[in-house]
Amino acid sequence: MRITRRDFMKYCAVAAGALGLTTTDLMKIENAMATRYEDGGTQVVWLNGASCTGCTVSFANSAYLSSVQDLLVPWALAAPHVATAAGLSTAALVDAIDGGVLTDTGANGPLDLVFMETLSSSVGHRAIDAAKSALTAPFVLCVEGSIQTDTNGDFCRIGNGLSASDTTTISFADEVMEFATSTNCVAILAVGTCASFGGIPAAKGSVTGARGLISTGKISGGYKKTDTTGLWDLLKEDYIGGFVESIEVTSGGSGYTSVPNVTISGGSGVTATAVMAGDAVDYITFTGTGNYTAPVVSIDAAPAGGVNATAVVHLGFNLSTGISNEMWTNLLGKTVCISGCPPHPDWIVGTIVYLLSSAPTFEPPLTDKWHRPFDYYGEYQCTNCLWRVNDPTSSETPRDIENNLQTKWTKGGPTTVGHSPSLYFNKYDSLFEGCIGILGCKGRKTKADCSYRRWNSDALDEGGVGWCVQTRAGCHGCTDPRYPDGWGKFFGYK
Amino acid sequence: MATIVVDPLTRIEGHNRWVVEATGANLSVTEAKSSGTLFRGFENILKTRDPRDAPQITQRICGV
């Protein structure tokens, strides 16, 4: 079963109407839907920045590997929670919503989609509450859209309030930082070329300083090799120390007769105060955020016969603070780029499923130097292109060519490199037959498996019905870090 | 005086923010603001490109 955006909206409307729900009831349902389901499923937080939402739409249209509904928390589990929160009988709710027929009666959905702006049924601060609730347990972070860094990230600001009257906002860059640098973030999926390599918002002429996590194809002013800094690399350059996010009391100690002083070394800007419970330290409050590298908390020793209290500082990072070398290594290690504009749904779903299959360690798949999984981005588009006309003077049989394209992937990279074939476009001057490199196809520079998988699959056991090159329009190279400016105009070869 | 903020707006493409202010005993609405909170600058990106590329770039404003 597939769920489209329209279907999802219809569920909400029909549910409300059929049950004669009041606004209050609808708000209760909204709250329940925003609640993280404790009964299982890997948490996923999907953040949107400078994006067009095309990657979300591609993901939502997944048909071949798995339908989105199969991945998300099934209604069979959601319905009882929702009914309880709204004070309704489960039977009435289930009947009204699904005509009495529930298909997902099996185990929990493997994904607990805690927050995804495009599909979230809650809005405003409640949606942000749901997103932040994911920070307390392991979660996979999906980032869609490029991250704009100029003017301190002000080109994209998102609400960050704690209540309906709280007007606080946070820049998208800082929001990504907050989730990515959390110790509970087990993997970061840069979904789409924008989040991976900058994409169109970062194209030549852009003024917002848009970047991908790993690399940035082109920045305003033209293409320079030195301008290809991704967000993680950029943040490592100007690290001034993280800000104090929280101070955790690891041991309250005992025997204190007065409130001990608390000092933090390794930086400045925070004044901390211990709060006692009897003769032990209960918790520590602080003012200011400061900047600290490798902070150490010192609490005055307890009087003779007592036990010293101890505490640790948890640091946060944002656009202004930069990131430490350790954090940079950590972020690079868990970032996987599923590039494409948009990426094929199979690539997104396949990578998510791969991650889930190794839970709770969440091993990322083998990736190339651009952090793209070899499974989907291992070969150039030409390898299975239908317009390819083999060199008639070569003694290679078609089977030879196929065999030569088999690659064996090891941790260091492919041991057998497939053809990066020199095109025959300069041998054929016809626009109507043979290789369409002459028409501007960038397939010879672009790695993706579109030629095998194709697009717009309708059924479980068939590939897609077509792909860009099949139309003789040519590949624009949308999975590549250099998209869209890497090789000049789309419809010419110079 | 009451302020109601809806940010982020969900189930849309892009980013939007609503702020409503209501004052007086009846809490009548005195201010209602809607803001698009993302700027990418497609016009700037399109400059000096081959015109045949324009539809391909501009269509990425929205992916729905």
Side-chain angles (χ1 to χ4, degrees), chain A residues 5 8-9 48-54 57 117-118 120-125 128 148 155-159 164-167 169 200-201 203-208 341 476 483 485 489-491, chain B residues 2-17 19 21 36-50 52-64:
Chain A
R5 181 175 178 269
F8 181 81
M9 303 283 275
N48 281 52
S51 77
C52 73
T53 317
V57 173
E117 231 177 85
T118 324
S120 169
S121 64
S122 52
V123 294
H125 74 273
I128 294 299
Q148 295 155 317
F155 281 109
C156 182
R157 295 201 71 92
I158 302 171
S165 56
D166 189 344
T167 55
T169 58
I200 294 214
K204 184 174 167 208
S206 136
V207 299
T208 57
C341 188
H476 294 166
Y483 179 73
D485 297 313
K489 54 197 179 195
F490 291 147
F491 296 107
Chain B
T3 307
I4 304 170
V5 180
V6 179
D7 189 3
L9 220 70
T10 58
R11 278 168 276 132
I12 55 168
E13 189 284 306
H15 300 264
N16 208 288
R17 167 188 177 85
V19 180
E21 278 167 29
T37 47
L38 165 67
F39 175 80
R40 286 167 291 174
F42 272 78
E43 294 89 346
N44 292 313
I45 292 167
L46 286 174
K47 286 184 193 171
T48 71
R49 284 182 194 270
D50 187 297
R52 289 168 296 175
D53 288 359
Q56 303 292 324
I57 305 272
T58 311
Q59 71 173 205
R60 263 71 176 193
I61 287 179
C62 178
V64 174

Side-chain angles (χ1 to χ4, degrees), chain A residues 117-200:
Chain A
E117 231 177 85
T118 324
L119 299 182
S120 169
S121 64
S122 52
V123 294
H125 74 273
R126 266 187 238 104
I128 294 299
D129 260 353
K132 293 200 188 205
S133 75
L135 290 168
T136 54
F139 67 92
V140 172
L141 174 66
C142 294
V143 181
E144 178 182 355
S146 57
I147 300 95
Q148 295 155 317
T149 53
D150 277 4
T151 64
N152 215 35
D154 281 347
F155 281 109
C156 182
R157 295 201 71 92
I158 302 171
N160 202 37
L162 298 170
S163 70
S165 56
D166 189 344
T167 55
T168 319
T169 58
I170 189 175
S171 72
F172 177 64
D174 286 344
E175 194 189 31
V176 169
M177 294 296 294
E178 184 186 345
F179 282 85
T181 58
S182 158
T183 45
N184 273 326
C185 176
V186 297
I188 302 171
L189 300 185
V191 183
T193 306
C194 291
S196 309
F197 311 126
I200 294 214

Side-chain angles (χ1 to χ4, degrees), chain A residues 219-263:
Chain A
I219 307 178
S220 154
Y223 178 51
K224 300 197 256 306
K225 250 190 149 162
T226 50
D227 275 342
T228 54
T229 318
L231 185 69
W232 300 151
D233 288 343
L234 178 82
L235 289 170
K236 184 175 73 124
E237 284 165 17
D238 296 308
Y239 181 47
I240 59 171
F243 61 88
V244 175
E245 211 167 45
S246 64
I247 305 177
E248 181 193 346
V249 173
T250 44
S251 161
S254 64
Y256 284 96
T257 53
S258 60
V259 180
N261 285 322
V262 180
T263 52

Side-chain angles (χ1 to χ4, degrees), chain A residues 207-359:
Chain A
V207 299
T208 57
R211 294 174 191 276
L213 295 184
I214 294 299
S215 152
T216 302
K218 283 190 196 274
I219 307 178
S220 154
Y223 178 51
K224 300 197 256 306
K225 250 190 149 162
T226 50
D227 275 342
T228 54
T229 318
L231 185 69
W232 300 151
D233 288 343
L234 178 82
L235 289 170
K236 184 175 73 124
E237 284 165 17
D238 296 308
Y239 181 47
I240 59 171
F243 61 88
V244 175
E245 211 167 45
S246 64
I247 305 177
E248 181 193 346
V249 173
T250 44
S251 161
S254 64
Y256 284 96
T257 53
S258 60
V259 180
N261 285 322
V262 180
T263 52
I264 308 173
S265 68
S268 64
V270 160
T271 313
T273 313
V275 175
M276 313 301 286
D279 68 341
V281 174
D282 195 12
Y283 56 91
I284 297 176
T285 60
F286 62 95
T287 53
T289 48
N291 291 100
Y292 292 83
T293 45
V296 173
V297 183
S298 306
I299 306 178
D300 283 351
V307 176
N308 293 340
T310 55
V312 292
V313 165
H314 294 289
L315 289 181
F317 305 87
N318 59 29
L319 213 50
S320 320
T321 67
I323 53 178
S324 61
N325 270 331
E326 292 79 26
M327 180 56 71
W328 176 80
T329 310
N330 176 273
L331 290 170
L332 274 190
K334 61 191 186 191
T335 300
V336 177
C337 290
I338 312 172
S339 65
C341 188
H344 195 291
D346 289 359
W347 304 340
I348 306 173
V349 171
T351 307
I352 291 178
V353 169
Y354 187 101
L355 274 175
L356 294 182
S357 66
S358 69

